[in-house]
Amino acid sequence: MDKSEVLKLDNQLCFPLYAIAKEITALYRPILEELLDITYSQYLVLMVLWENDGLTVSNIGEKLLLDSGTLTPLLKRLEGKGFIIRKRKKEDERVVEIFLTPTGKGLKEKACEIPGIIQEKTGIQKEDLIEFKQIIQRILSQINK
């Protein structure tokens, strides 16, 4: 095999991962706008909070692999929509905790429809999606060691 073959786009892992991430996010966009009036990034934050309400900004950032500079504007927009409240810790004013409002908690029920809609739109069987997700998680674990 010619040495330059490794540089062909068709031989790259990065490109199909980039393309699928872009396309999956595009699938979510109209669904999230219609059901919840939020962006995909805001959806990720809400999912983290639906699992564990009252996390700090840094905890959320760790879970989503986002820095506070990216996360803070997202949180401000979610707060502006009335979905979350940001509170400074009394013991340490530098630490900001994020809590869901009743409205934010109420979005969870509507959001439960989203995974099924996405699965239907991709046309992929649930078992295949689970296997694909496991492979991606193994790759992420290796990268983040």
Side-chain angles (χ1 to χ4, degrees):
M1 179 191 283
D2 181 350
K3 195 175 184 179
S4 66
E5 287 287 310
V6 298
L7 297 178
K8 287 189 174 181
L9 193 60
D10 285 346
N11 294 333
Q12 304 304 307
L13 171 65
C14 59
F15 181 71
L17 289 174
Y18 161 79
I20 192 77
K22 190 171 74 79
E23 295 301 319
I24 293 289
T25 303
L27 278 179
Y28 274 90
R29 192 171 294 119
I31 298 163
L32 291 171
E33 284 175 8
E34 181 183 325
L35 284 179
L36 309 175
D37 189 31
I38 58 173
T39 65
Y40 181 72
S41 300
Q42 292 168 345
Y43 176 58
L44 295 176
V45 170
L46 289 173
M47 283 194 295
V48 167
L49 292 171
W50 289 327
E51 271 185 59
N52 296 296
D53 198 10
L55 293 175
T56 64
V57 172
S58 57
N59 292 146
I60 296 169
E62 286 170 18
K63 288 185 177 291
L64 297 178
L65 305 175
L66 295 173
D67 61 46
S68 63
T70 302
L71 202 48
T72 299
L74 279 173
L75 296 171
K76 284 182 180 179
R77 285 192 291 278
L78 285 170
E79 188 174 39
K81 290 177 179 266
F83 300 153
I84 65 163
I85 297 171
R86 296 179 299 154
K87 292 183 182 176
R88 295 201 175 271
K89 274 192 126 177
K90 288 184 176 140
E91 310 84 55
D92 186 349
E93 296 250 335
R94 296 171 296 176
V95 178
V96 178
E97 294 176 308
I98 309 300
F99 296 92
L100 290 163
T101 63
T103 304
K105 288 176 184 174
L107 293 177
K108 185 177 181 179
E109 190 174 326
K110 282 185 186 177
C112 287
E113 299 173 37
I114 296 169
I117 295 169
I118 294 298
Q119 182 185 343
E120 185 180 309
K121 286 187 175 285
T122 63
I124 305 295
Q125 295 299 312
K126 187 174 184 175
E127 299 77 27
D128 292 335
L129 287 174
I130 290 169
E131 182 181 353
F132 182 52
K133 183 177 170 283
Q134 289 169 340
I135 292 167
I136 292 169
Q137 286 179 313
R138 282 199 309 266
I139 294 169
L140 277 173
S141 293
Q142 280 297 120
I143 291 170
N144 291 321
K145 271 188 175 179

